[in-house]
Amino acid sequence: MAVVHVQVGSALNDDTTGDAPRLLGPAQIRDLAAEVGVRPTKTLGQNFVHDANTVRRIVTASGVGSDDVVLEVGPGLGSLTLALLGTAGRVVAIEIDPILAQRIPQTVAEYAPAQSGNFDVVLADALQVTRDDLPVVPTALVANLPYNVSVPVLLHLLGLFPEITTALVMVQAEVADRLAAPPGSRTYGVPSVKARYHGRVSRAGAVGRNVFWPEPKVESGLVRIERTDDYPIDTVFRRTVFAVIDAAFAQRRKTMRSALAGWAGSPAEAERRLRAADIDPGIRGEKLDVDDFVRLARTV
């Protein structure tokens, strides 16, 4: 892992007005990409936002302010980063692409010179990052998450940093629907329950395809998570809860007595634990909420 600090040189642009960062548009995005020889790749889930109004809307919806240390994942060429620097106290970005990680400090110095001392970029895989890899503990997560790993990254970071009190992420629209789905709905499943373990989850808007380069083939959505202290932050207990959730939804059409047989050791033991948690053994997982799974985990 590598932490790269912005170094401000003579990058101040004559067009800078006041102290507010200048935001990137379509022309700047393409010029930056051409300069560093980057072509967006599906492997890394790269779709660069080139619309200033969209990144402003994301920052506004996030509710972050000058007291927040914002963690951003996949800053790319810096569109959202610059908007965040105009509002947040500090921004730490995790970037897996070494070329982009090397270029973004210069972009920040050029477009947000007044805020460049409040920015760090960490060259790392967000799925593998640890607390020690970041120079400071974040209080908020705001990111256009790579769509191919959006849920694992979100859950990893929320579990890793209980200090994150709010998260606003852009994901594929159908993933946003699943994350915010209530029990009993068609889209309710593993992501819904695990996200709810960390806090209150809600949809925070839609994002059209035309604000990205290249334009994706799917719609995008914003999801907001407000941290709650409803459930233990203890890592071992959370893993137990998540194991129950995974088992319950592995075969959605099975009753909980059957679905949890492997997790509990036998159908009879699964039924015993379900009854101990005051849950009908004949119910299906899609009808249960996170409270039910937490009670089940406590029967271990």
Side-chain angles (χ1 to χ4, degrees), residues 2 13 36 45 50 69 84 97 114 134 141 148-149 153 174 181 194 199 207 210 226 244 250 257 280:
N13 189 293
V36 296
H50 60 61
V69 175
L84 285 168
D97 187 321
L134 268 60
L141 170 66
N148 53 346
V149 291
V153 167
E174 66 179 44
K194 290 183 177 179
V207 180
N210 62 327
E226 291 288 343
V244 185
R257 183 181 189 277
D280 178 3

Side-chain angles (χ1 to χ4, degrees), residues 167-184:
L168 193 288
V169 295
M170 180 158 57
V171 295
Q172 188 174 333
E174 66 179 44
V175 174
D177 290 339
R178 287 201 295 269
L179 284 167

Side-chain angles (χ1 to χ4, degrees), residues 194-230:
K194 290 183 177 179
R196 176 62 188 88
Y197 185 89
H198 293 290
R200 291 184 297 272
V201 186
S202 60
R203 284 293 301 264
V207 180
R209 305 179 190 187
N210 62 327
V211 303
F212 295 95
W213 176 72
E215 188 172 308
K217 296 181 180 180
V218 296
E219 298 295 328
S220 303
L222 300 176
V223 174
R224 183 180 176 87
I225 300 175
E226 291 288 343
R227 177 82 71 172
T228 62
D229 57 1
D230 295 344

Side-chain angles (χ1 to χ4, degrees), residues 1 71 73 94 122 124-134 136-139 141 152-165 197-198 227 233-235 238-239 242:
M1 307 290 182
L71 179 61
V73 178
I94 301 173
V122 178
D125 181 342
L127 282 171
Q128 303 297 326
V129 75
T130 69
R131 289 179 66 91
D132 292 340
D133 294 323
L134 268 60
V136 64
V137 175
T139 63
L141 170 66
V153 167
L154 174 63
L155 295 175
H156 173 62
L157 295 176
L158 288 175
L160 188 65
F161 296 105
E163 298 88 352
I164 291 177
T165 59
Y197 185 89
H198 293 290
R227 177 82 71 172
I233 62 173
D234 174 73
T235 302
R238 185 179 70 247
R239 286 175 180 165
F242 283 13

Side-chain angles (χ1 to χ4, degrees), residues 16-223:
T16 302
T17 303
D19 291 334
R22 292 183 300 122
L23 303 183
L24 302 177
Q28 289 83 9
I29 288 290
R30 291 178 184 275
D31 287 347
L32 283 169
E35 175 192 325
V36 296
V38 167
R39 292 291 302 176
T41 69
K42 290 183 179 180
T43 303
L44 298 180
Q46 292 173 326
N47 295 94
F48 302 132
V49 180
H50 60 61
D51 181 66
N53 287 330
T54 297
V55 294
R56 289 191 191 101
R57 181 160 67 95
I58 292 171
V59 173
T60 299
S62 73
V64 299
S66 58
D67 293 334
D68 282 303
V69 175
V70 176
L71 179 61
E72 184 187 6
V73 178
L77 294 166
S79 297
L80 180 57
T81 309
L82 294 170
L84 285 168
L85 283 167
T87 302
R90 187 169 178 181
V91 176
V92 178
I94 301 173
E95 177 55 64
I96 194 173
D97 187 321
I99 295 175
L100 295 175
Q102 185 175 13
R103 181 58 173 84
I104 196 169
Q106 182 182 341
T107 301
V108 170
E110 291 170 353
Y111 285 82
Q115 293 81 20
S116 58
N118 301 326
F119 176 71
D120 299 275
V121 59
V122 178
L123 177 60
D125 181 342
L127 282 171
Q128 303 297 326
V129 75
T130 69
R131 289 179 66 91
D132 292 340
D133 294 323
L134 268 60
V136 64
V137 175
T139 63
L141 170 66
V142 184
N144 170 22
L145 292 178
Y147 286 3
N148 53 346
V149 291
S150 57
V151 172
V153 167
L154 174 63
L155 295 175
H156 173 62
L157 295 176
L158 288 175
L160 188 65
F161 296 105
E163 298 88 352
I164 291 177
T165 59
T166 183
L168 193 288
V169 295
M170 180 158 57
V171 295
Q172 188 174 333
E174 66 179 44
V175 174
D177 290 339
R178 287 201 295 269
L179 284 167
S185 66
R186 182 179 58 82
T187 52
Y188 184 70
V190 171
S192 322
V193 193
K194 290 183 177 179
R196 176 62 188 88
Y197 185 89
H198 293 290
R200 291 184 297 272
V201 186
S202 60
R203 284 293 301 264
V207 180
R209 305 179 190 187
N210 62 327
V211 303
F212 295 95
W213 176 72
E215 188 172 308
K217 296 181 180 180
V218 296
E219 298 295 328
S220 303
L222 300 176
V223 174

